[in-house]
Amino acid sequence: MNNTTTKQSLFTSPLGIAIYIVVGLVLLAVMATNHLIGMILPYAIAYTIPLLMTALGGLYSERSGVTNLGLEGLMLVGYFASALTINLTEQTLQASALPLGLLAGVLAGALFSMLHAFASINLKADQVISGTAINMLASALTVYLARTIAGSGNVRIMLGIVRRDIPGLSKIPGIGTLFFTQSYWSTWVALIVWGASWFLLYKTSFGLRLRACGEHPSAVASAGVNVYGMRYFGVGMSGALAGLGGSIILITYSGEFNGTVAGLGFLSIAALIFGQWKPLGILGATFFFGTATTIANVSQVIPQLGVIPPVIFKVFPYVVTLLALIVFSKRSAAPKAVGEAF
Amino acid sequence: MKVKIKSNAFLIAVSAVILGLLAGGLLMMSIGSNPFEGFYYLFRGGLMNMERIGNTISTAITLMLVGLSVAFAFKTGLFNIGAAGQMLVGGLCATLVAHYVFIPRPFYLVVIIFCAFLGGALWGVIPGILKAKFNVHEVVATIMMNWIAYWSIYYFVPAYLKGPSLETESKSIAIGQTLRSPWLTGIFGGGYINLGIFVAIAAVFVIKYVLDKTTLGFELKAVGSNRFCAEYAGIKVNRNVVISMMIAGGLAGLAGMAYYTGYSRNIQIGVMPSMGFDGIAVALLGASNPIGVLFSALFFGMLQSGKGFMNAMTEVPPEIADTIIATIIYFTATSVLFSRFWDSVGRRKRDKAQQKSDQDESKEEVSHE
């Protein structure tokens, strides 16, 4: 498609070059303190995975032609559902409560996203407003339910995923120690989901149809495809994956439902745009955000970074997103029919 | 994005409110509480005496200004989801004025209003320029601006406005420097009521005037209803987008002033003001009409200020108010359901009338024979 044009605009635009320089400088700063990579990378991956899943969900939805601004809320629903499930079952089920929690998060997200699907597909509602309603509803309803079911706005779980070395692969020098030691199993699940999604969307006729629904729905409809069904699937997947993202936050680094995912859902939408609505692009974009967040969080304990005021690190991901959007929005690779009712 | 406003906006709003309250009632029932009792205390908490009414109004002031901000941007076809950040920046500017500017009261009020507007406008105009010049979607841009404001204030307040005891909030403003006024407080017998009420009401009418009676308002609305058509008619679309976001940001900045130097007396860090998002609800329920915004802000203000009392008197968690608001928004978004419903009601009436007149005619015919 317009792969070449975006690449051209990236390399020729002064802003694009500026972004590369900034990112490069940060990477260099990290490289310079080499042992830091080993310290930062596991956290960076941990922060990346929920974003990756949610942005991937957004990819399904937007590729099928439905803007989903409710990702933040859907993440929160998954976060809550898995916290509640694990909280209630961890005594009896022990470690197997964790996968059950993930499953609950996925289902809850998918179920909740049906509200958005119904509004934007059947009722042809304004999808941005419907998404906003989903966010507000999720943040009010989850805390409401947490208070009535668990007795407090915060739901804590005792269990968490134990980090494990991958047998065999962790022995590879360099890469092995970086990627295959001390990893969460949920990370591998997420990467498999990502790979499978790429295959489904780009290598099967089903995926072609789904993407066509986001580009030219009437053409697809005239070929006998059920556009409504495809869009329901896209929105449902976005709910399921955002729910998965929320659940992964819980069982990896949070350990407690506290009523907010702090803008990660919106950051995922930005990553989707940043990644130009492509699986590989969003992998890169979310990894960038994950790394930036990690650097912001650890900057105070690292002497080399401690000299820079922490506010710079905290606003860094958002400022870079704005800059990136400036570069990418001019020639947007967004699906053509996204946001339009059919 | 198009925000379709039907002629029967009032009916839609009322239907959405009724369904929202119904959903709230069902939720209360689902946890074994009596919904009638719940609503009784919810409304009583917002209205039971002058002080409570004053608090309802002062909650509504912030919502009204944010609602106006969102509604104003809607009119130009823009979705300002960044009111929270604009509130923070406007509120910070107002707080700085309150701490450092000591001049006679009338001048002081002008300065604080001006600075708060300016702060919010600055935060709003950046996404406006990005939208106009680079086609950056304003929703994502304003959300990024929210977080930039959030973190900037998170570090700015402890560094420059640190309170004596708590790390998490700025030092309190001297009571004479806030927007509270003794006679207003006297009328309502205490509470949070403040001069922001006049700012909010003035803003409602100024915005109504600008939208309905000025060339600027006409151009903004033209851009909102069809930007290509507006461009063809010689209206500078990009300029209007920037102006719209600037004024919307300024209004949210005023909301920040009303909240941080009127309702409250300091800025808390690490809190994204939820009114920034409730304002979207206010604008939608008010069908982006300034007068509609006025009433829907009062309604939501009542829900928000009554929820604490309800929570104290019953088992129902205070989040019920937010759930009701969110449900109302969902139903406003899906308003096509109601317009279909009311249309069909209207049609049935018309059909009946038609039938009746037909019958009458046939009767007449019969009688003629």
Side-chain angles (χ1 to χ4, degrees), chain A residues 243-319:
Chain A
L244 179 64
S247 315
I248 290 177
I249 296 178
L250 176 85
I251 61 173
T252 55
Y253 61 84
S254 147
E256 178 185 57
F257 168 81
N258 53 8
T260 172
V261 290
L264 288 183
F266 287 121
L267 211 54
S268 304
I269 297 171
L272 183 61
I273 301 174
F274 199 171
Q276 294 283 282
W277 289 269
K278 292 197 179 62
L280 197 63
I282 61 175
L283 180 69
T286 50
F287 184 66
F288 167 76
F289 285 132
T291 314
T293 314
T294 309
I295 292 175
N297 287 345
V298 301
S299 67
Q300 286 312 290
V301 292
I302 297 170
Q304 292 94 328
L305 299 176
V307 291
I308 305 168
V311 61
I312 304 285
F313 288 111
K314 286 292 188 190
V315 302
F316 178 71
Y318 308 110
V319 173

Side-chain angles (χ1 to χ4, degrees), chain A:
Chain A
M1 278 189 324
N2 42 14
N3 229 346
T4 44
T5 49
T6 41
K7 268 191 185 132
Q8 258 174 8
S9 73
L10 238 190
F11 283 116
T12 48
S13 135
L15 264 167
I17 294 167
I19 290 174
Y20 277 124
I21 292 173
V22 171
V23 173
L25 281 178
V26 171
L27 281 181
L28 269 179
V30 176
M31 296 291 189
T33 52
N34 202 351
H35 65 283
L36 281 181
I37 297 181
M39 208 175 105
I40 286 176
L41 200 68
Y43 290 103
I45 293 174
Y47 283 122
T48 301
I49 295 301
L51 284 174
L52 176 64
M53 285 299 96
T54 311
L56 193 64
L59 183 76
Y60 273 100
S61 177
E62 303 226 335
R63 279 292 180 190
S64 77
V66 180
T67 310
N68 195 344
L69 215 65
L71 287 176
E72 175 101 357
L74 295 169
M75 250 182 135
L76 193 61
V77 168
Y79 193 22
F80 168 72
S82 58
L84 194 67
T85 311
I86 296 172
N87 181 285
L88 294 176
T89 59
E90 62 188 345
Q91 298 290 340
T92 47
L93 291 177
Q94 302 295 334
S96 49
L98 291 178
L100 188 70
L102 279 194
L103 197 66
V106 168
L107 288 178
L111 206 64
F112 209 72
S113 70
M114 288 301 117
L115 279 176
H116 182 58
F118 178 66
S120 41
I121 300 169
N122 292 96
L123 299 181
K124 301 175 171 46
D126 188 309
Q127 295 170 8
V128 173
I129 296 172
S130 164
T132 309
I134 295 292
N135 288 336
M136 296 174 74
L137 200 57
S139 67
L141 205 58
T142 51
V143 180
Y144 180 86
L145 292 176
R147 276 196 211 280
T148 47
I149 299 172
S152 131
N154 292 18
V155 183
R156 191 164 296 172
I157 60 168
M158 298 300 153
L159 291 169
I161 297 188
V162 180
R163 290 167 173 250
R164 286 229 170 84
D165 294 358
I166 304 294
L169 292 172
S170 61
K171 299 287 186 297
I172 305 169
I175 307 170
T177 43
L178 277 182
F179 290 100
F180 298 109
T181 51
Q182 297 291 302
S183 61
Y184 296 116
W185 58 256
S186 59
T187 302
W188 301 105
V189 171
L191 287 175
I192 290 167
V193 169
W194 175 80
S197 297
W198 169 79
F199 185 82
L200 180 68
L201 285 172
Y202 287 87
K203 294 293 162 201
T204 64
S205 55
F206 176 83
L208 180 68
R209 286 177 190 150
L210 184 111
R211 286 183 290 128
C213 286
E215 301 287 342
H216 211 307
S218 34
V220 195
S222 69
V225 176
N226 180 355
V227 176
Y228 277 22
M230 281 292 184
R231 289 193 165 177
Y232 260 98
F233 176 79
V235 177
M237 279 305 279
S238 78
L241 290 176
L244 179 64
S247 315
I248 290 177
I249 296 178
L250 176 85
I251 61 173
T252 55
Y253 61 84
S254 147
E256 178 185 57
F257 168 81
N258 53 8
T260 172
V261 290
L264 288 183
F266 287 121
L267 211 54
S268 304
I269 297 171
L272 183 61
I273 301 174
F274 199 171
Q276 294 283 282
W277 289 269
K278 292 197 179 62
L280 197 63
I282 61 175
L283 180 69
T286 50
F287 184 66
F288 167 76
F289 285 132
T291 314
T293 314
T294 309
I295 292 175
N297 287 345
V298 301
S299 67
Q300 286 312 290
V301 292
I302 297 170
Q304 292 94 328
L305 299 176
V307 291
I308 305 168
V311 61
I312 304 285
F313 288 111
K314 286 292 188 190
V315 302
F316 178 71
Y318 308 110
V319 173
V320 172
T321 306
L322 282 179
L323 294 177
L325 289 175
I326 291 172
V327 176
F328 287 108
S329 297
K330 205 75 184 181
R331 248 177 243 246
S332 175
K336 280 190 191 63
V338 72
E340 285 170 23
F342 173 68

Side-chain angles (χ1 to χ4, degrees), chain B residues 303-330:
Chain B
L303 293 184
Q304 289 289 10
S305 76
K307 67 182 181 182
F309 184 69
M310 177 205 64
N311 184 229
M313 302 302 287
T314 63
E315 293 286 292
V316 185
E319 281 75 21
I320 191 80
D322 308 271
T323 312
I324 293 172
I325 292 176
T327 316
I328 291 174
I329 295 315
Y330 184 75

